[in-house]
């Protein structure tokens, strides 16, 4: 059995970093590309998963890790300090 994970990894890397033109061209209606929408939706899903953990960490008295997670969410949102 052959493991071609490096081929798969390279293929995924190429799609992410060099997406096809169909995905990067802006939509006629909204002006946003499908690729940008996909990234934005992924960011929103990740943030929705992290936010309950922030509250839970505060409840458990784990302030340092809660603040770390808050910083992570800010980084994902692209906020700058």
């Amino acid at each position: 059995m052959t493991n071609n994970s490096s081929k798969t990894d390279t293929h995924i890397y190429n799609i992410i970093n060099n997406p096809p033109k169909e995905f990067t061209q802006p939509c006629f209606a909204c002006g946003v590309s499908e690729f940008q929408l996909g990234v934005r939706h992924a960011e929103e899903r990740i943030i929705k998963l992290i936010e309950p953990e922030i509250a839970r960490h505060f409840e458990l008295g784990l302030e340092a890790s809660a603040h770390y997670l808050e910083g992570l969410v800010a980084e994902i949102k692209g906020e700058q300090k």
Side-chain angles (χ1 to χ4, degrees), residues 32-64:
V32 179
S33 72
E34 287 185 39
F35 187 76
Q36 290 170 318
L37 284 174
V39 169
R40 189 177 308 148
H41 290 154
E43 290 170 347
E44 290 171 1
R45 287 191 307 269
I46 292 168
I47 290 168
K48 284 182 182 177
L49 290 171
I50 295 173
E51 286 177 336
E53 289 302 308
I54 294 171
R56 190 173 71 82
H57 283 226
F58 275 123
E59 288 173 6
L60 294 172
L62 304 170
E63 285 85 11

Side-chain angles (χ1 to χ4, degrees), residues 3-19:
N3 183 354
N4 64 354
S5 64
S6 63
K7 277 186 180 179
T8 304
D9 292 345
T10 304
H11 178 68
I12 291 169
Y13 176 84
N14 288 335
I15 289 173
I16 291 170
N17 292 305
N18 302 310

